[in-house]
Amino acid sequence: RAGADDFLPMRLMDRVGAAVARAAGGRQRHRAVGHDARFKALVEHSWDGVTLLDTTGTITYASPAITRVLGYAPGEFVGRPGIEFVHPDDRGLASAAFGQAVAEPGRPVVCAYRYRRRDGSWCPVETVVTNLLGDPQVGALVLNSRDVSEVRAAEEARRSGEAELRTLVDVIPEVVWVADSDGAITYANT
């Protein structure tokens, strides 16, 4: 009644060791279940998409972030070849990265390619692939993918701004030059 996991009448004291072992095992199972639940919650609330592929490249799991990033429900991915969502021009690059990950278990391999969104548009992603096929608790290629659309847009805006500035400086009738800390000229207008 007080919440004991087990009890022993005094006449069965020789079973104390077994009862303690059962109780300890129950606590360890409870901790393992709590540990698994914690990691599941972390993956399912991650901002990055987490996808698992089997040895054939078939998607066996997709985290809920797939919906935010690509518009698909996670269930729409499962059972389909991951490569089918990769832009045709990027499939060679993606296949090479996956091949490298398969050849080097446990070593993260980074690659960037375009992935098809549910609306048909292409999303630039950066993916880290780790081969955990040999890990009995995972048994998959683990892909952590991040939408890099905003990063790419910022890089393009920076390049565009630099080009505009260079054009403006080139039409100024005065000499404009830039030197590094050693005095070497690194830029001069026309």
Side-chain angles (χ1 to χ4, degrees):
R1 281 184 238 145
D5 290 331
D6 205 345
F7 69 93
L8 289 172
M10 290 301 287
R11 63 185 161 73
L12 299 175
M13 287 303 289
D14 59 329
R15 294 185 48 209
V16 169
V20 170
R22 273 196 312 278
R27 278 193 290 279
Q28 287 174 347
R29 281 190 300 281
H30 178 72
R31 280 190 207 117
V33 168
H35 193 260
D36 291 347
R38 180 184 304 169
F39 280 103
K40 181 178 180 186
L42 288 171
V43 167
E44 295 204 348
H45 292 94
S46 172
W47 197 246
D48 293 347
V50 177
T51 310
L52 302 180
L53 302 180
D54 66 14
T55 56
T56 67
T58 301
I59 298 169
T60 60
Y61 171 81
S63 70
I66 295 300
T67 303
R68 181 187 57 75
V69 175
L70 301 173
Y72 296 97
E76 292 179 86
F77 266 27
V78 175
R80 296 173 72 179
I83 200 75
E84 106 179 24
F85 296 96
V86 176
H87 191 284
D89 294 344
D90 299 342
R91 287 183 182 169
L93 177 66
S95 292
F98 297 144
Q100 183 179 356
V102 167
E104 300 178 48
R107 181 178 170 272
V109 177
V110 179
C111 63
Y113 51 86
R114 293 166 286 178
Y115 222 65
R116 187 177 63 239
R117 288 187 172 114
R118 193 165 200 279
D119 67 8
S121 65
W122 295 101
C123 177
V125 295
E126 182 177 89
T127 297
V128 179
V129 184
T130 307
N131 177 352
L132 296 179
L133 290 164
D135 183 330
Q137 294 182 354
V138 180
L141 288 169
V142 179
L143 284 67
N144 292 314
S145 301
R146 172 175 291 166
D147 177 353
V148 292
S149 299
E150 291 177 7
V151 172
R152 296 265 173 96
E155 288 172 358
E156 181 55 38
R158 181 188 55 79
R159 280 193 296 273
S160 176
E162 286 176 359
E164 288 175 12
L165 180 59
R166 192 170 298 251
T167 300
L168 177 66
V169 171
D170 274 346
V171 297
I172 294 174
E174 286 79 25
V175 174
V176 175
W177 54 271
V178 177
D180 65 17
S181 60
D182 294 328
I185 297 174
T186 60
Y187 171 80
N189 68 346
T190 55

